[in-house]
Amino acid sequence: MLRRDEDRSTPRTLRARRTEPDAKCFAPRFYERDPLFWPIAQAASAFRDEPDWPDVETYVRAFGETPPPITFEVQIPKKTRRKRREARGETVTIDVKTLYDGTISLTKRVPTRPRQWHDFLNALVWAAFPAAKAALHARQYAAISARVPATATRLPNARTRELDALALIDEGGVIAPHGGRPFIFGHALYEGLVLGGRAMIARALVLPPLGDGTSLDEAIAAALSDTSLVPEMLPRMALSELEGPDNDDDDVGKGNDTNL
């Protein structure tokens, strides 16, 4: 994700909600409040007895017994890093490899802001759908690399249509499996549920029928490999249209899910 101070795909009301005092409080059993949390509920349950925000480095506990393909580390603010280099008299060019998506794709480390629902929920989505998240950030890294020259000192002011679509899925995406029950993927949507913003509009990534032996996580990753993906290919869907799990959804969100 080409991270800004605020992501444009995040609803404006959610930005305001983040500033309220109770939005900073950790609620370890938040996933019990709404059935729409079901895809990340297993990952979230690893922290159900925490009295306060867990340390960022411990977010890998969300993977349970599955070896985590990535780690989480506290993110140093970009402005702080830039000011340090400028203070040393350096000409600060943009190194795409050290940006958010490059760091994830090349080092398998996810820069994470502590004590924030947005980034904590991102970690839970990573645990539930590791292949899909890895594919998404690899696509974003490739797309950003293609448009930022080595001599650039500033990032472009706007995303491409491809990056718009990827950001919509990452932040506000719903997955619509062929013949299955749609569910939330985007971590900003989960954040809205935590902070009381269920009436949000999402964008749906519609999947084709799954092949034999293909997990849902792998199917999402494959769909994200479509380089022609643009926002117009992602139909709008209100969260009020979604439902909780049924018996066929038991394996969703376990990182090794199978067909629905």
Side-chain angles (χ1 to χ4, degrees):
M1 177 177 62
L2 186 56
R3 182 172 281 184
R4 306 292 193 194
D5 290 340
E6 290 290 347
D7 194 292
R8 293 179 183 177
S9 62
T10 305
R12 183 179 297 275
T13 54
L14 180 53
R15 296 180 189 177
R17 181 70 180 88
R18 288 171 179 154
T19 65
E20 298 175 13
D22 66 318
K24 300 296 185 182
C25 299
F26 186 63
R29 295 177 181 264
F30 72 91
Y31 56 92
E32 297 176 351
R33 299 175 181 171
D34 194 309
L36 297 189
F37 285 119
W38 63 270
I40 61 170
Q42 178 171 306
S45 68
F47 306 95
R48 63 183 177 272
D49 296 322
E50 294 289 339
D52 196 4
W53 286 99
D55 293 336
V56 163
E57 293 79 8
T58 70
Y59 287 4
V60 292
R61 288 163 45 196
F63 288 88
E65 297 180 359
T66 302
I70 45 84
T71 60
F72 301 93
E73 64 177 19
V74 174
Q75 181 180 31
I76 301 173
K78 292 179 182 179
K79 290 183 179 179
T80 299
R81 297 197 302 264
R82 187 178 187 92
K83 285 181 179 179
R84 287 175 181 172
R85 295 183 61 189
E86 289 176 340
R88 295 195 296 264
E90 299 180 26
T91 299
V92 183
T93 56
I94 300 296
D95 184 355
V96 177
K97 296 189 294 295
T98 66
L99 298 180
Y100 185 73
D101 298 289
T103 298
I104 294 171
S105 298
L106 300 178
T107 72
K108 311 305 178 188
R109 293 180 288 114
V110 181
T112 302
R113 295 167 296 187
R115 306 180 69 85
Q116 293 204 22
W117 279 111
H118 191 83
D119 288 30
F120 176 71
L121 292 161
N122 181 51
L124 300 185
V125 177
W126 263 103
F129 304 103
K133 287 289 286 184
L136 188 149
H137 290 292
R139 275 285 308 281
Q140 292 188 123
Y141 171 54
I144 294 168
S145 297
R147 67 191 300 248
V148 178
T151 56
T153 59
R154 291 287 187 274
L155 290 171
N157 290 327
R159 297 188 183 103
T160 62
R161 301 299 285 156
E162 176 188 9
L163 286 168
D164 275 339
L166 293 170
L168 285 168
I169 296 168
D170 189 27
E171 300 282 350
V174 164
I175 305 300
H178 180 81
R181 188 179 300 259
F183 60 88
I184 295 175
F185 179 82
H187 53 285
L189 294 179
Y190 283 122
E191 183 187 15
L193 291 184
V194 171
L195 300 181
R198 183 169 179 168
M200 290 183 290
I201 299 297
R203 292 298 190 102
L205 178 65
V206 181
L207 301 182
L210 301 185
D212 292 341
T214 301
S215 74
L216 184 57
D217 187 23
E218 292 167 340
I220 300 169
L224 290 170
S225 68
D226 181 2
T227 56
S228 67
L229 197 65
V230 292
E232 290 76 17
M233 298 168 64
L234 307 171
R236 295 178 182 273
M237 179 177 290
L239 294 196
S240 59
E241 299 178 45
L242 304 186
E243 300 176 1
D246 59 26
N247 292 337
D248 292 333
D249 298 323
D250 287 345
D251 288 326
V252 177
K254 296 182 179 179
N256 58 352
D257 44 73
T258 53
N259 288 0
L260 289 179

